[in-house]
Structures are given as C-alpha cells and as structure tokens.
Amino acid sequence: ACSRKNRNAALHPLWQSPLTIPGGTRQSPINIQWRDSVYDPFLKPLKISYDPTTCLHIWNNGYSFLVEFDDSTDRSIIVGGPLENQYRLKQFHFHWGAINDWGSEHTVDSKFYPAELHLVHWNAVEYPTFEEAVMEGNGLAVIGVFLKLGARHEGLQTLVDALPAVKHKDTVIEFDVFDPSCLLPSCPDYWTYAGSLTTPPLTESVTWIIKKKPIEVDEDQLEAFRMLLFTSDGEEEKRMVDNFRPLQPLMDRTVRSSFQ
Ligand SMILES: NS(=O)(=O)c1ccc(C(=O)NCC(F)(F)F)cc1
Ligand SMILES: [Zn+2]
C-alpha cells in the first residue's frame, strides 16, 4: 500500500499539490484529425472581452516574443466555451518556422501552418497567482489561432513595426495599447482538448481552444518574425525560427468540436 509518507513524496514540496510531470498523458501539441473530432452540442460560445489598455510591453524571452498584459484585475478575460470559470489574459506569443511549409505547433489533418498564435489565460477564480495556476489541471486556457500566408494583416502590423526593438533575447519595449481580439478570426468555430504547456515545464494544466479558421498575414510579416534572434546582443546571432515543439501522442484523449 502507498504509505502516507510515499504519497506525500509525490507532492511537490513547493506547491503541496500533485505536480504532473512531462512524459505524462496529456502533452501538447497534437495533430487534430478533423474526422475524429467529436461535435459537443453542450459546448458554449467562447466569450472574449479584452481591454486594450491592459497591454504592458513586448519582450523577447529567448523562445518567442511575448506581448504581456496587466492581469491584476478581471479587465481582460475569456469565459464560456469549454471553461468552468472565467480566465484572465496574461500574454500572447507566436510559434513559427524558417520557411512557410511549417511553423505551427498544432496541425490539422497533419497540415502545418506557417505560424500559430497562443493567447495565454489563467484561472484567477480558483488560484491566487499565475505560477500556481500553471501547476493545476484546470489552471490555464490557451486560445490557438493558425496564421496562413495571404493578405497583409493591419492589426498585426502595429506589432510587426515594434519587433526590431526586441531583436535580441531579454530586450523589452513598452507597448501600451493593443487589442488582441483583432488577431482572432471572426468565425466562432473551435476545437478543444486537455493538454499541456509546449515549453518547459510542460505542465499538464492547459485547456486548449484551437480556432478552426486561420487568420491571414503576408510574407513580409512572417519575415519580420524570422529576423528576431534567440541570442542576446553581443552573442553569435541565431535567428529565432522553428520555435515549435514536436507533435505529441494523443493517448486517451478526444478532441471536441464546437461545430458540426
Ligand atoms: N506555448 S504555450 O503552451 O502556450 C505556453 C504558455 C505559457 C508558458 C509559460 O508561461 N511558461 C512560464 C511558466 F509558466 F512559468 F512556466 C509556456 C508555454
Ligand atoms: Zn505557445
């Protein structure tokens, strides 16, 4: 039998709660096989309300570039969809490839998109801090939006114009008004499944909400992502490209769709 002591051994000393570890059963990203997704009529529409003035800054963290928001109040939140509570927007970032043939983290019927946007939210109803929410099964909700090559995206351009200022790792610039809802497709359709962070600590705390329709961006805008660097100023330059995690096994999971 698992003695009390052993059971406690499974608890992470810092959090006093079970810490799921990578190599787990709900890792991300995954391939979404359209025909295997199951329509769930009980899924609600996702309600998104962002306050553009909660935008704080853009920074290059050496993995991607993040646009961070003031998450000290409930001014920028999502609610509904597969979510039990409302979740607060903390940051959004992207993953992209060196060329247009790949770059997204999730795939649809094994098709890669050239890039993928992640809007990261946390369950401030049940957890006191983002760091704690990261450790809990229902702690985070990430909206994934695919980017495809097409027309220039005017809303994205304001972000693209600021990227040269965060070319190097650990650089940051003030960015004080931006409404991320301009980066969402108008179509409400999405897939949803239980997954994880796609970068370390890879904790299995994310309810993924993947929009069915991509947004269009043009070649110059994708090239602007590719001129960012993984490296700090003064180091040998390494272009920030192919910052996506390999596909993970679906294991015992079902992807639900909000549409028929
Ligand atoms: N690519 S992803 O799955 O949307 C993703 C989203 C957020 C984080 C993140 O905040 N890592 C820092 C933390 F939480 F302290 F570990 C990592 C990955
Ligand atoms: Zn991401």
Side-chain angles (χ1 to χ4, degrees):
C2 172
S3 75
R4 174 136 190 80
K5 182 180 171 307
N6 289 350
R7 210 171 21 254
N8 280 340
L11 295 179
H12 188 286
L14 201 56
W15 301 104
Q16 299 312 319
S17 67
L19 179 69
T20 50
I21 48 164
T25 58
R26 50 175 281 193
Q27 289 292 296
S28 293
I30 59 168
N31 174 51
I32 297 167
Q33 200 66 34
W34 196 312
R35 74 171 83 81
D36 294 343
S37 61
V38 178
Y39 169 59
D40 180 349
F42 297 105
L43 280 173
K44 302 187 194 73
L46 189 62
K47 291 216 311 273
I48 294 165
S49 47
Y50 295 148
D51 172 350
T53 65
T54 55
C55 192
L56 294 173
H57 51 251
I58 309 178
W59 72 294
N60 177 333
N61 71 347
Y63 282 110
S64 180
F65 67 93
L66 281 71
V67 181
E68 294 216 288
F69 289 78
D70 168 6
D71 60 351
S72 60
T73 73
D74 284 332
R75 282 181 295 163
S76 288
I77 56 156
I78 58 172
V79 67
L83 306 171
E84 298 297 314
N85 301 114
Q86 69 177 30
Y87 286 63
R88 265 185 210 168
L89 175 66
K90 176 156 182 64
Q91 52 103 331
F92 69 81
H93 63 273
F94 298 81
H95 303 262
W96 60 90
I99 61 172
N100 297 336
D101 298 344
W102 60 72
S104 60
E105 295 216 292
H106 293 86
T107 54
V108 179
D109 294 342
S110 301
K111 169 197 162 71
F112 282 94
Y113 285 89
E116 183 174 332
L117 160 65
H118 288 159
L119 294 137
V120 182
H121 310 77
W122 60 284
N123 182 345
V125 170
E126 292 188 28
Y127 308 111
T129 65
F130 171 77
E131 286 68 24
E132 238 172 298
V134 165
M135 299 295 170
E136 300 293 335
N138 66 341
L140 304 182
V142 182
I143 298 177
V145 180
F146 294 117
L147 276 62
K148 72 177 256 200
L149 194 60
R152 178 179 148 111
H153 194 293
E154 290 312 325
L156 183 71
Q157 193 55 36
T158 52
L159 205 47
V160 164
D161 290 339
L163 293 185
V166 288
K167 184 180 173 79
H168 293 100
K169 178 173 184 255
D170 296 332
T171 49
V172 59
I173 55 150
E174 197 183 321
F175 198 64
D176 45 12
V177 181
F178 185 78
D179 179 1
S181 39
C182 80
L183 299 175
L184 294 168
S186 51
C187 178
D189 295 349
Y190 63 84
W191 290 284
T192 183
Y193 77 97
S196 73
L197 297 180
T198 65
T199 59
L202 303 170
T203 44
E204 296 180 333
S205 53
V206 181
T207 298
W208 281 95
I209 299 166
I210 308 286
K211 302 293 283 183
K212 180 185 85 174
K213 284 281 177 35
I215 59 169
E216 289 191 21
V217 299
D218 71 12
E219 181 64 36
D220 290 345
Q221 293 178 316
L222 286 171
E223 276 306 315
F225 287 12
R226 298 178 182 130
M227 63 100 216
L228 293 170
L229 300 177
F230 282 126
T231 43
S232 307
D233 199 353
E235 285 178 350
E236 187 209 346
E237 297 204 347
K238 288 195 182 72
R239 289 190 318 143
M240 185 180 274
V241 292
D242 299 332
N243 55 355
F244 56 93
R245 189 191 189 194
L247 290 171
Q248 301 298 306
L250 184 60
M251 318 271 289
D252 179 26
R253 290 180 283 182
T254 301
V255 177
R256 290 182 289 161
S257 65
S258 70
F259 57 94
Q260 278 187 307

